[in-house]
């Protein structure tokens, strides 16, 4: 059921929150298989800049349904944050075909939009 809900959410162009390592791994696998650009928002509930950029990310997800947007709370999934060497929030990782192709550290709306546009076309 959860996988179906996530698939429906992805079809609607929303940010998919990964609350478990299993959900995280499933979303990465699906993204790699689809060859879509994946934008991962590493965030924290206590982070002011994260709260600022969150609605902007939701808006981008609605406008760009061909991009997969994932959200990982670094306190909820500490092991994932450690595996990805996340040191500041928000950190946005851009993945394509299973590889990291870019990164934005900080709530930088313009840079985030530029990197998405760049990697959607590559």
């Amino acid at each position: 059921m959860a996988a179906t809900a996530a698939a429906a959410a992805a079809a609607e162009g929303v940010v998919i929150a990964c609350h478990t390592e299993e959900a995280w791994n499933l979303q990465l696998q699906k993204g790699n298989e689809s060859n879509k650009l994946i934008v991962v928002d590493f965030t924290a509930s206590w982070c002011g800049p994260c709260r600022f950029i969150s609605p902007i990310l939701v808006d981008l997800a609605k406008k760009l349904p061909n991009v997969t947007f994932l959200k990982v709370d670094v306190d909820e999934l500490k092991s994932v944050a450690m595996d990805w060497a996340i040191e500041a929030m928000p950190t946005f990782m851009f993945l394509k075909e299973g590889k990291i192709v870019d990164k934005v550290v900080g709530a930088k709306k313009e840079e985030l939009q530029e990197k998405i546009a760049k990697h959607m076309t590559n």
Side-chain angles (χ1 to χ4, degrees):
M1 177 82 181
T4 306
E12 294 168 14
V14 299
V15 178
I16 302 166
C18 298
H19 297 289
T20 65
E21 285 189 42
E22 182 182 59
W24 165 249
N25 290 327
L26 176 68
Q27 290 303 323
L28 284 184
Q29 180 184 346
K30 283 169 49 179
N32 292 342
E33 290 169 359
S34 71
N35 293 327
K36 288 168 69 173
L37 174 64
I38 301 172
V39 179
V40 184
D41 174 13
F42 287 96
T43 186
S45 59
W46 47 263
C47 165
C50 299
R51 289 194 297 270
F52 163 78
I53 200 83
S54 184
I56 293 165
L57 203 65
V58 169
D59 192 46
L60 286 170
K62 286 178 186 166
K63 291 178 184 170
L64 304 168
N66 56 335
V67 176
T68 300
F69 290 87
L70 304 178
K71 182 178 227 167
V72 175
D73 186 308
V74 297
D75 294 322
E76 190 174 28
L77 292 181
K78 287 184 172 94
S79 60
V80 173
M82 284 190 351
D83 288 348
W84 288 71
I86 303 304
E87 297 176 352
M89 279 67 69
T91 293
F92 299 93
M93 299 295 254
F94 299 81
L95 310 168
K96 211 153 189 195
E97 298 174 5
K99 296 179 184 74
I100 297 170
V101 293
D102 224 325
K103 175 179 174 177
V104 173
V105 178
K108 300 173 184 164
K109 178 183 175 183
E110 290 78 18
E111 189 176 348
L112 183 61
Q113 291 171 321
E114 287 168 12
K115 303 262 184 181
I116 290 170
K118 174 185 173 184
H119 294 294
M120 277 177 52
T121 57
N122 289 350

